[in-house]
Amino acid sequence: MPALLFFDIDGTLITLDKRHVMPESTKKALKRAKEKGHKIFINTGRVKTAIDKHLLQFGFDGLVCGCGTYIEYEGKEIFHQRISKDKCVEYAGKLHHYGFETLYEEKDRLFIDGKYGPGTFMNFIYDYFSKNSDYPIEKTTSPDFIFDKFTTSYNDKSHIDEFEKVFGYDFNLIPHGPVVIEAVPKGYSKATGIEFLMDKLGASVDDCYAFGDSINDMEMLEYVTHSIAMGNSVDEIFDAVEYKTTDIEDNGIANALRHYGLI
């Protein structure tokens, strides 16, 4: 059975700086893994339209997007967990009322509700993700508004207690720094995406390898038998993994694949 290799994007496949590039050592290692017959997958919190174009064109065997809410294999959609439009409108109204600024993420479209300005969360979101998306980023007033998950930001005037009480029931709330929260529908994660593909391909959890660097990688790292933390990972990741490799720009992916005899 070939190995199934699952890779986070930011800090794992591409650098966290403004370049957002895949190191040459990573490219060569992934191509060598494919030549050996192993399957390589992106496994990301991003929805598909927010994935850098050069990654989509690289030749991955499949995608697990939006923390397990959307899955592709060999270029074909095989799973998509949708939230109804009525629910999307209801959730967006509550988030606006609670004083949150939010990026709503659907596999093909992105929508925002928030203020622009230098240094703001929304400004960063627009500048970065508008370069990747095939469609313009729109407002929640668009007739096409719908989403699979969302990422939101709050300030000292936001009603964080009400938010957690209401949204904590339907969503897994994943913190990213002091004021940003990623919200994924309950029952879905990077780990459930691995499980879905593992079952489809007749693999076992021992055939699966997960590579990550941040808190939202924790579930997939704890799920698989072979878990790898990048050397540049947040500290909480290191105690949860089987193997710690070097930094992304210090041959991290290549060194890990060599360690396991996969290349």
Side-chain angles (χ1 to χ4, degrees):
M1 180 72 201
L4 308 184
L5 312 177
F6 295 89
F7 299 91
D8 169 54
I9 293 181
D10 299 289
T12 302
L13 284 176
I14 65 174
T15 57
L16 289 170
D17 58 25
K18 292 182 179 180
R19 296 172 298 153
H20 301 293
V21 296
M22 184 191 294
E24 287 301 316
S25 65
T26 298
K27 294 178 184 178
K28 292 177 182 178
L30 293 181
K31 288 176 180 177
R32 183 59 179 152
K34 287 199 64 160
E35 289 169 0
K36 290 276 192 176
H38 305 305
K39 302 287 188 180
I40 60 172
F41 299 89
I42 287 175
N43 195 344
T44 180
R46 300 191 196 191
V47 290
K48 183 180 178 181
T49 195
I51 297 176
D52 301 64
K53 293 293 192 296
H54 67 91
L55 290 179
L56 292 175
Q57 297 164 0
F58 182 78
F60 285 91
D61 293 287
L63 310 171
V64 178
C65 303
C67 289
T69 57
Y70 176 79
I71 302 172
E72 280 188 11
Y73 180 61
E74 295 183 338
K76 297 180 180 178
E77 177 182 323
I78 58 174
F79 179 80
H80 188 192
Q81 172 60 29
R82 295 172 172 87
I83 300 173
S84 72
K85 186 172 181 64
D86 287 347
K87 271 293 186 183
C88 288
V89 172
E90 177 188 337
Y91 289 139
K94 288 179 178 178
L95 281 164
H96 186 85
H97 176 70
Y98 296 155
F100 284 69
E101 298 189 342
T102 307
L103 170 71
Y104 296 96
E105 307 159 71
E106 196 268 340
K107 76 177 184 73
D108 294 320
R109 305 294 295 267
L110 300 173
F111 303 87
I112 56 172
D113 178 21
K115 299 176 182 176
Y116 294 99
T120 64
F121 173 66
M122 281 298 130
N123 199 62
F124 164 77
I125 289 293
Y126 189 85
D127 284 350
Y128 182 63
F129 288 115
S130 62
K131 298 172 185 175
N132 295 317
S133 181
D134 290 329
Y135 297 95
I137 299 178
E138 296 191 37
K139 299 280 187 158
T140 54
T141 52
S142 166
D144 297 323
F145 176 63
I146 196 168
F147 62 91
D148 300 334
K149 61 185 285 284
F150 65 86
T151 303
T152 194
S153 176
Y154 59 95
N155 55 47
D156 55 5
K157 295 181 180 179
S158 305
H159 301 288
I160 184 66
D161 291 339
E162 292 181 59
F163 164 79
E164 290 177 343
K165 187 190 318 182
V166 172
F167 285 90
Y169 184 81
D170 291 332
F171 294 85
N172 291 322
L173 304 178
I174 306 166
H176 291 275
V179 296
V180 176
I181 296 173
E182 181 180 22
V184 181
K186 284 279 179 71
Y188 299 92
S189 69
K190 292 184 178 184
T192 65
I194 292 177
E195 183 179 28
F196 187 93
L197 280 164
M198 186 179 74
D199 291 345
K200 177 178 177 59
L201 298 175
S204 76
V205 72
D206 293 335
D207 300 316
C208 298
Y209 297 74
F211 299 72
D213 71 302
S214 63
I215 292 298
N216 76 343
D217 298 318
M218 191 70 81
E219 287 188 74
M220 75 167 178
L221 294 171
E222 292 178 336
Y223 178 73
V224 301
T225 300
H226 307 296
S227 53
I228 299 94
M230 304 300 292
N232 45 274
S233 299
V234 296
D235 290 341
E236 295 93 325
I237 294 295
F238 295 128
D239 291 336
V241 298
E242 181 179 64
Y243 181 70
K244 174 185 173 182
T245 189
T246 49
D247 285 14
I248 180 174
E249 295 196 78
D250 187 20
N251 307 314
I253 296 296
N255 287 337
L257 293 176
R258 290 193 192 99
H259 170 78
Y260 284 102
L262 296 170
I263 59 173

